[in-house]
Amino acid sequence: MRILDSHFHYWPKSFFETLCARESYPRAFRNEDGGYDYRRKEGAIGLLNLEPEWFDLDRELAYMDSLGHQVDVIGSIGPLSIHFSDVPPEQGIADARQWNEAMAAAQRSHAGRFWGTAAVPLTDTGAAIETLDHAIGELGLVGVNVPGSIGSDPHIDAERLEPFYARVAKLGVPMFIHPTDAIFHDMLEGYNGALHLTLGRVMEVSAAAMRLVFSGVLERHPSLKVIMSHTGGALPYQAGRIDKNGKRAGLPKPPSTYIKSMYTDTVSPHALGMKFAIEYYGIDHVMYGTDYPCWDPSAALGLLEELGLSQADKDKLFYGNAAKLFGLADPTTSAA
């Protein structure tokens, strides 16, 4: 079976070596496993303790080859997307440029198997647009990543960012929203990170997505392609409550109308969660994703088999939806 993993993480080692050389936070440290640890600030609880495979694309793709399918991947930044808006603007621009060029290099060296998506510094709207244009127009990346907050500022719906969202919509590239570790972290401390990882990230990304809904960003830019990670966070499961109380935002349509215009992935270690995401968003708006190396693709494939999908729905879920959304070549022309 031909598979396109829409939620996959490859992080360039060269970028982390740059972060290791810095004396101020955010920064990275080499760990005893041969990977890297990332810290937003001094004394922060380390939730980004990364094994070597995160930084070795050939090793990651070799594991994909072991699954018994032809698996191609779309790389997203994940929780590190906050970094580029968590540093001074000039540093954020330089770091985003370095990241995007590394993604473009990987896309060229693994053509037809890996596609990269862009980092942007949201602290400066003009810089975010320029960085986006360079990443998509010149480097050929296929999407853009937006964190759940701008550093510790949760207002990704800030009025000043309207031109950025308009530009993303005009370019027609997907905008991937992934939780980070800046919001709710202190509230949900303890238990070796278990409380934050299980609830904090879900809360953060759900609140971020609803800011785009309630602010009217999705109403004003109906062509904006938003990917809400992790089977939609809390949104599908609280849609009734959102419509009931979301009337206060004064939108011309029920909030769930905008939620259902989003896309999501199958990153949920729970067959019922996957099933409900498909039923809520519709099969055309759900894409296979594993969050690898955070989650084992073999486990994801096993859970999806439990759903008993038709072959037509499998074709959409496993390859067609993501290929269409990201504007990739037909698999019959790109197959190795």
Side-chain angles (χ1 to χ4, degrees):
M1 179 169 56
R2 189 70 183 260
I3 293 176
L4 181 55
D5 190 337
S6 69
H7 189 154
F8 170 94
H9 301 302
Y10 158 64
W11 292 358
K13 186 173 183 178
S14 58
F15 183 79
F16 275 76
E17 284 295 316
T18 297
L19 295 183
C20 285
R22 293 185 181 166
E23 296 183 358
S24 60
Y25 290 82
R27 61 182 302 197
F29 303 86
R30 299 178 192 90
N31 61 36
E32 61 184 16
D33 296 325
Y36 299 88
D37 296 346
Y38 177 85
R39 300 288 185 273
R40 287 188 63 238
K41 56 186 178 181
E42 188 172 7
I45 297 173
L47 297 183
L48 289 183
N49 302 314
L50 307 162
E51 295 81 11
E53 55 263 36
W54 284 75
F55 311 94
D56 189 336
L57 182 54
D58 288 324
R59 179 176 172 179
E60 290 182 299
L61 291 177
Y63 178 73
M64 293 296 179
D65 290 339
S66 75
L67 298 173
H69 304 284
Q70 170 62 55
V71 183
D72 306 326
V73 299
I74 298 172
S76 66
I77 303 177
L80 193 69
S81 59
I82 194 172
H83 169 84
F84 308 93
S85 303
D86 206 22
V87 293
E90 289 301 318
Q91 188 67 66
I93 295 169
D95 286 356
R97 179 68 66 97
Q98 181 182 355
W99 181 279
N100 293 342
E101 289 177 350
M103 291 296 104
Q107 186 170 285
R108 290 191 300 270
S109 64
H110 296 77
R113 289 215 66 186
F114 173 86
W115 288 269
T117 55
V120 288
L122 294 181
T123 46
D124 182 291
T125 306
I129 294 172
E130 290 178 9
T131 302
L132 173 70
D133 284 347
H134 177 259
I136 304 302
E138 297 185 38
L139 297 180
L141 300 184
V142 298
V144 61
N145 298 269
V146 173
S149 63
I150 305 169
S152 297
D153 179 0
H155 296 94
I156 69 165
D157 55 340
E159 186 176 350
R160 69 171 180 82
L161 288 173
E162 188 81 16
F164 169 75
Y165 294 122
R167 186 60 179 164
V168 177
K170 184 175 182 179
L171 289 174
V173 295
M175 185 174 78
F176 191 83
I177 304 178
H178 193 287
T180 57
D181 296 328
I183 309 298
F184 300 114
H185 192 186
D186 294 337
M187 182 192 308
L188 299 173
E189 66 179 351
Y191 309 104
N192 195 31
L195 191 56
H196 172 67
L197 289 172
T198 54
L199 290 181
R201 286 183 174 176
V202 173
M203 291 165 61
E204 184 211 40
V205 75
S206 299
M210 288 312 301
R211 282 188 175 278
L212 296 181
V213 171
F214 286 147
S215 65
V217 167
L218 298 186
E219 168 66 24
R220 292 187 294 276
H221 306 287
S223 64
L224 192 61
K225 301 172 182 176
V226 177
I227 301 174
M228 177 66 176
S229 57
H230 304 104
T231 59
L235 302 189
Y237 317 97
Q238 296 299 325
R241 182 178 180 86
I242 290 169
D243 278 349
K244 173 179 174 291
N245 297 308
K247 297 174 183 177
R248 295 169 176 261
L251 294 168
K253 304 169 188 172
S256 61
T257 304
Y258 308 98
I259 296 173
K260 287 187 174 183
S261 75
M262 299 178 184
Y263 297 80
T264 194
D265 53 46
T266 58
V267 178
S268 173
H270 188 209
L272 286 177
M274 293 176 171
K275 181 179 180 182
F276 186 53
I278 292 170
E279 291 178 350
Y280 182 79
Y281 287 99
I283 188 62
D284 291 336
H285 278 235
V286 183
M287 303 172 290
Y288 173 77
T290 65
D291 210 0
Y292 183 75
C294 288
W295 191 32
D296 188 348
S298 63
L301 290 168
L303 289 172
L304 284 166
E305 278 301 314
E306 295 180 22
L307 303 188
L309 298 175
S310 69
Q311 187 59 51
D313 285 352
K314 286 182 178 180
D315 290 343
K316 291 180 178 181
L317 182 79
F318 283 109
Y319 205 105
N321 289 344
K324 181 179 179 181
L325 183 65
F326 284 91
L328 308 185
D330 185 278
T332 60
T333 64
S334 62

